[in-house]
Amino acid sequence: MPKSPELEHPQKVFGWAARDTSGVLSPFNFSRRVNGDNDITLEVHYCGICHSDLHAIKNEWGNSVYPMVPGHEIVGVVTEVGSNVTKFKVGDKAGVGCIVGSCRSCDRCTQDMEIFCSNTAILTYNCEYYDGTRTYGGYSNKFVVDEHFGIQFPDNIPLDATAPLLCAGITVYSPMKYYGLSQPGMHLGVVGLGGLGHVAVKFAKAFGMKVTVISTSISKKEEAIDRLGADDFLVSRDPDQMQAAVGTLDGIIDTASAVHPLLPLISLLKNDGKLVMVGAPDKPLELPLFSLLMGRKLIGGSASGGIKETQEMINFAAKHNITADIEVIPMDYVNTAMERLAKGDVRYRFVIDVGNTLKSS
């Protein structure tokens, strides 16, 4: 008979979990493994709320297993290190992103792209670990992880505002680097100005690019240009604006998670331009092939990034003072935050103050 989550491992841990498809989170006692020779243990200080968390707790992707402790934007301080650990020492700032395990021997893992592991990457929560137990995320007071999957955080960056970079940041940084959309002087379009889009603008400007934000609403224009530093703004529902910008962009990072037409975006690309999808609409999108053929344009996709690239991204963010725009919340506000997130009522990322507000009582 399977053991209860509280008895699976020796270390007693406290967090908040969803128990069913209602997605309502509540206090939850569970356990984690003892710190192994290759492990580090984190005292969790902050955990960002990703839109994936909302999908997962409500089983909107059809693969949720309950009880579920969400959270894959985890930051804190190292409290214990194993005898083989070389990357970290006690007292270091550290983080954990979307994955906590992979085979580390397939062609993808050996090329530092563990997220695409041929033998299945082990996700930070709602996944089965090597020992057959479930993985539980960062809405909790303690986290144990193999040092390989830990991210070092420089001292000069705030943990709360950099926690979302472990998902939102790497999700836009990785395709910008891979698809060659990070060169100074290039003109990049960013579709959507949410959790992903606002950090895409910041990274692009740090790369020295010209940036145009593309949104369905004019209401975000002042925010995009005056505060985030975008150079231009297009309302995608305005045909005159879109027509005037045809053929002007070297590439587009599309962060939109709602169903939307691709043809107007493809038309904005120069010859050999690239449209990269990082949002995940819940229904298929229509692909107008003729618009790709006439201009040798490409559509690609990307999901997060490997550990080496995530570390590179954090180091780049520290050098250029890139952080997410956040609203810090107490743990007991999390269900209200989820309701607001579902309505798009956040600028631009909720971050739970785990260290100061998660109380086992």
Side-chain angles (χ1 to χ4, degrees):
M1 182 176 179
K3 292 183 179 180
S4 71
E6 195 171 0
L7 299 176
E8 282 181 330
H9 300 290
Q11 289 206 71
K12 304 304 180 185
V13 182
F14 182 71
W16 278 47
R19 267 61 170 207
D20 54 44
T21 57
S22 70
V24 174
L25 294 143
S26 58
F28 178 59
N29 290 295
F30 65 108
S31 57
R32 296 198 190 276
R33 69 182 185 270
V34 295
N35 196 92
D37 290 343
N38 300 312
D39 291 337
I40 62 170
T41 297
L42 287 185
E43 177 185 81
V44 179
H45 286 195
Y46 298 96
C47 187
I49 297 179
C50 177
H51 213 286
S52 299
D53 299 348
L54 179 60
H55 289 302
I57 61 175
K58 292 180 175 293
N59 195 29
E60 292 177 352
W61 291 332
N63 64 348
S64 297
V65 176
Y66 301 98
M68 179 195 300
V69 178
H72 58 206
E73 300 176 347
I74 308 162
V75 292
V77 173
V78 176
T79 58
E80 187 176 355
V81 298
S83 59
N84 296 334
V85 170
T86 59
K87 277 174 62 176
F88 299 93
K89 64 182 185 301
V90 171
D92 283 352
K93 293 180 179 180
V96 180
C98 300
I99 59 172
V100 294
S102 71
C103 77
R104 298 174 64 181
S105 60
C106 69
D107 58 343
R108 297 173 184 179
C109 285
T110 56
Q111 293 174 34
D112 300 309
M113 291 305 297
E114 300 91 341
I115 190 69
F116 302 127
C117 176
S118 300
N119 297 304
T120 306
I122 299 175
L123 302 181
T124 303
Y125 68 89
N126 194 43
C127 204
E128 186 174 295
Y129 200 64
Y130 302 114
D131 59 5
T133 61
R134 301 299 298 176
T135 59
Y136 295 113
Y139 296 15
S140 59
N141 63 340
K142 185 185 295 185
F143 201 92
V144 182
V145 67
D146 185 301
E147 71 158 337
H148 178 80
F149 296 94
I151 304 299
Q152 298 165 304
F153 272 63
D155 287 334
N156 68 311
I157 54 177
L159 287 179
D160 54 357
T162 48
L165 299 185
L166 290 168
C167 178
I170 188 59
T171 298
V172 296
Y173 180 93
S174 181
M176 290 170 74
K177 297 291 283 188
Y178 177 77
Y179 287 100
L181 299 176
S182 60
Q183 302 304 310
M186 276 188 165
H187 191 174
L188 182 74
V190 175
V191 178
L193 198 64
L196 296 177
H198 90 286
V199 291
V201 172
K202 292 185 179 187
F203 277 118
K205 292 308 296 180
F207 286 136
M209 306 177 77
K210 180 180 179 181
V211 180
T212 293
V213 170
I214 304 161
S215 177
T216 57
S217 172
I218 190 66
S219 65
K220 293 186 177 182
K221 180 176 181 178
E222 183 177 349
E223 176 90 356
I225 293 176
D226 294 345
R227 206 167 70 77
L228 296 176
D231 300 282
D232 206 350
F233 189 93
L234 291 176
V235 178
S236 58
R237 291 173 175 164
D238 185 323
D240 292 335
Q241 285 190 27
M242 295 294 282
Q243 180 60 39
V246 165
T248 61
L249 302 179
D250 295 291
I252 297 173
I253 299 292
D254 187 345
T255 73
S257 57
V259 174
H260 57 287
L262 297 181
L263 180 58
L265 300 178
I266 296 170
S267 299
L268 298 177
L269 294 171
K270 299 175 183 177
N271 286 353
D272 301 316
K274 300 166 185 174
L275 170 60
V276 184
M277 313 297 294
V278 296
D282 58 4
K283 295 179 182 178
L285 304 183
E286 183 177 338
L287 180 59
L289 285 175
F290 193 75
S291 63
L292 296 179
L293 301 177
M294 302 308 292
R296 203 167 57 183
K297 301 172 183 179
L298 299 177
I299 292 184
S302 186
S304 191
I307 300 302
K308 181 179 179 181
E309 191 172 43
T310 302
Q311 186 66 66
E312 174 189 302
M313 178 272 303
I314 288 293
N315 294 344
F316 183 88
K319 181 179 179 180
H320 294 274
N321 297 312
I322 296 172
T323 57
D325 290 8
I326 62 170
E327 180 178 334
V328 178
I329 62 167
M331 188 73 246
D332 60 9
Y333 187 79
V334 67
N335 290 306
T336 302
M338 290 295 184
E339 293 173 2
R340 287 178 54 193
L341 180 59
K343 300 173 183 176
D345 179 23
V346 57
R347 290 198 173 178
Y348 288 96
R349 208 71 158 185
F350 287 117
V351 174
I352 305 168
D353 183 354
V354 175
N356 290 314
T357 68
L358 177 61
K359 307 299 181 185
S360 59
S361 59

